[in-house]
């Protein structure tokens, strides 16, 4: 069968942010922000199955979300700063046009916390930054095969919840005479708390223990070096060499 469909989408958002830095503690700064979003989607689908035209099928949904962000930072010295941040994220819901008259999938939401330190040491010749984070996902939007369909058609569903826990470290050192080296290391441990799927009999099952994350590398790192020439009559020249790695899962 052939599906002909249209999806119309409109999104509206407003954002406000406030920064606060007290006079009696000028090393400290706080920031609070909110974002209000409205997403309107409508779908119209016509199906041509074996020469017979059915439909149109129409559906529409509107989703609202109030996101937020809180950030705290403290400068221990002009070259050393620590921070903490908490925030929420949102991805609008939508439709699966390939599955005629299917219900809309709901928005995906996330909450994240992170803390870190940023430094510039040895008269700003060495920069070291470290960040640790944890993200909580709910109503995850995941592409799945419909095992009850002979064509194994794909669709997006709200499969469950997951957490991402990890850290990132990066550094750079200026060696003098235009030479510098830099590198970074990242690690993330994703875990499903719930991953709902439907087997061939139509039964809903939790696959959290066996489900895998797609396009997520647990370990990444890179190291590089660069050289910047002195000023010449035609400008400066920069050469860079870098090696990067990410594991397959």
């Amino acid at each position: 069968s052939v599906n002909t469909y249209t999806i119309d989408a409109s999104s509206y958002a407003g954002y406000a942010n406030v920064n606060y830095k007290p006079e009696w503690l000028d090393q400290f700064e706080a920031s609070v922000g909110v974002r209000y979003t409205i997403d309107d989607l409508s779908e119209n689908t016509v199906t041509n199955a074996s020469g017979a035209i059915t439909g149109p099928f129409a559906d529409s949904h509107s989703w609202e979300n109030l996101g937020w962000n809180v950030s705290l930072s403290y400068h221990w010295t002009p070259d050393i700063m620590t921070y903490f941040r908490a925030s929420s994220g949102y991805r609008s819901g939508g439709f699966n046009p390939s599955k005629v008259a299917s219900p809309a999938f709901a928005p995906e939401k996330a909450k994240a916390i992170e803390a870190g330190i940023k430094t510039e040491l040895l008269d700003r010749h060495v920069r070291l930054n470290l960040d640790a984070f944890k993200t909580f996902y709910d109503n995850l939007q995941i592409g799945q095969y419909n095992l009850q369909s002979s064509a194994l058609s794909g669709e997006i569903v709200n499969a469950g919840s997951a957490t991402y826990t990890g850290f990132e470290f990066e550094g750079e050192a200026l060696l003098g005479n235009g030479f510098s080296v830099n590198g970074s290391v990242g690690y993330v441990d994703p875990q499903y708390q719930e991953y709902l799927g439907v087997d061939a009999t139509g039964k809903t099952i939790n696959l959290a223990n066996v489900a895998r994350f797609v396009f997520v590398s647990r370990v990444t790192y890179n190291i590089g070096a660069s050289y910047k020439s002195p000023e010449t009559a035609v400008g400066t020249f920069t050469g860079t060499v870098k090696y990067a790695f990410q594991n397959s899962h």
Side-chain angles (χ1 to χ4, degrees):
S1 63
V2 177
N3 292 342
T4 302
Y5 63 88
T6 60
I7 293 180
D8 296 321
S10 299
S11 184
Y12 311 89
Y15 181 81
N17 190 83
V18 176
N19 291 335
Y20 174 64
K21 192 172 185 179
E23 295 182 1
W24 54 272
L25 189 62
D26 59 3
Q27 303 100 318
F28 173 80
E29 185 173 2
S31 176
V32 178
V34 294
R35 178 187 177 92
Y36 181 69
T37 305
I38 300 175
D39 287 305
D40 297 325
L41 277 79
S42 61
E43 171 199 31
N44 286 277
T45 305
V46 176
T47 300
N48 186 336
S50 301
I53 297 179
T54 59
F57 301 95
D59 195 5
S60 63
H61 275 272
S62 180
W63 293 281
E64 302 179 12
N65 182 71
L66 182 63
W68 49 268
N69 178 79
V70 178
S71 178
L72 308 174
S73 63
Y74 188 84
H75 287 264
W76 301 91
T77 72
D79 299 326
I80 300 177
M81 185 266 284
T82 55
Y83 63 91
F84 172 81
R85 182 180 299 117
S87 60
S88 68
Y90 159 84
R91 179 187 294 177
S92 172
F95 300 100
N96 287 295
S98 61
K99 188 176 180 181
V100 179
S102 66
F105 52 87
E108 176 182 297
K109 296 188 177 183
K111 294 182 178 66
I113 55 175
E114 62 177 302
I117 180 171
K118 295 181 180 292
T119 67
E120 291 185 327
L121 308 173
L122 302 179
D123 196 26
R124 298 194 173 185
H125 282 73
V126 175
R127 175 174 55 85
L128 299 174
N129 298 330
L130 176 64
D131 178 90
F133 61 88
K134 192 177 187 72
T135 305
F136 306 84
Y137 287 95
D138 191 29
N139 267 353
L140 273 171
Q141 297 174 1
I142 299 176
Q144 293 182 349
Y145 281 120
N146 182 359
L147 297 179
Q148 295 179 281
S149 169
S150 59
L152 292 179
S153 60
E155 58 184 313
I156 297 176
V157 299
N158 297 109
S161 58
T163 58
Y164 282 57
T165 307
F167 71 87
E168 296 176 343
F169 173 80
E170 63 175 356
E172 182 179 20
L174 305 180
L175 305 179
N177 298 320
F179 289 95
S180 66
V181 293
N182 60 81
S184 67
V185 177
Y187 173 79
V188 61
D189 178 28
Q191 297 287 337
Y192 282 114
Q193 279 68 56
E194 185 179 63
Y195 187 109
L196 300 180
V198 179
D199 64 15
T201 67
K203 180 183 178 181
T204 300
I205 54 178
N206 187 2
L207 302 171
N209 292 333
V210 295
R212 296 292 181 264
F213 290 81
V214 181
F215 306 125
V216 177
S217 297
R218 289 179 178 266
V219 178
T220 60
Y221 64 82
N222 70 78
I223 185 170
S226 64
Y227 171 75
K228 184 177 181 180
S229 73
E231 186 74 27
T232 69
V234 293
T236 59
F237 297 88
T238 301
T240 301
V241 59
K242 177 171 287 190
Y243 174 80
F245 168 85
Q246 62 180 37
N247 70 336
S248 58
H249 61 277

